[in-house]
Amino acid sequence: MRAILLPVAFLYSLTANGENELNWPFDQAENVAAITTKQVVEASFPILMVVHYEDDDSWAFTCGTTNKSEDLMIVGMGEIVSLDSTLHSIADLPPGWSAVRESVNSEWVRTKDE
């Protein structure tokens, strides 16, 4: 009986908890902190700038309209990506690189940070 329950429990954990993780394209988990702005979260400003920091592999997803510390927010990676599914297209952005775009409908322009 134990041999049957173990595979069933394993399959359940994959579909209930791990399925999303298997499809998650970023190098940080969905529950890892990311930087954004109040404008993105509270006022629905579009995410037009993404930074993948080299020193700690963290991410920032901002609107590009402010750099004031009082406008910054910490959210989960999954939360920010759920606001804009087009972010999947830059999930492979290497650490030490940034990506910007003019609008949500524009292509991302990637640059290596100096």
Side-chain angles (χ1 to χ4, degrees):
M1 185 75 160
R2 186 175 284 183
I4 293 171
L5 290 178
L6 191 56
V8 170
F10 175 72
L11 288 174
Y12 174 76
S13 75
L14 270 181
T15 56
N17 303 322
E19 186 175 280
N20 230 9
E21 290 178 19
L22 294 176
N23 296 323
W24 182 250
F26 289 87
D27 66 347
Q28 298 294 315
E30 291 179 73
N31 63 348
V32 170
I35 300 167
T36 192
T37 63
K38 291 178 183 176
Q39 289 79 356
V40 168
V41 175
E42 297 172 0
S44 300
F45 279 35
I47 296 168
L48 302 178
M49 180 180 290
V50 175
V51 178
H52 191 181
Y53 295 101
E54 188 169 31
D55 57 344
D56 63 359
D57 287 335
S58 64
W59 290 78
F61 302 89
T62 63
C63 55
T65 64
T66 181
N67 59 5
K68 297 178 183 176
S69 59
E70 60 265 20
D71 290 330
L72 297 179
M73 292 183 72
I74 303 296
V75 296
M77 289 283 294
E79 181 180 354
I80 200 71
V81 173
S82 73
L83 295 176
D84 183 350
S85 62
T86 67
L87 295 173
H88 282 91
S89 68
I90 52 95
D92 63 345
L93 189 70
W97 284 67
S98 298
V100 295
R101 59 184 175 178
E102 300 226 357
S103 73
V104 174
N105 298 321
S106 301
E107 293 292 318
W108 288 102
V109 177
R110 300 165 180 238
T111 56
K112 183 161 177 38
D113 298 335
E114 294 184 20

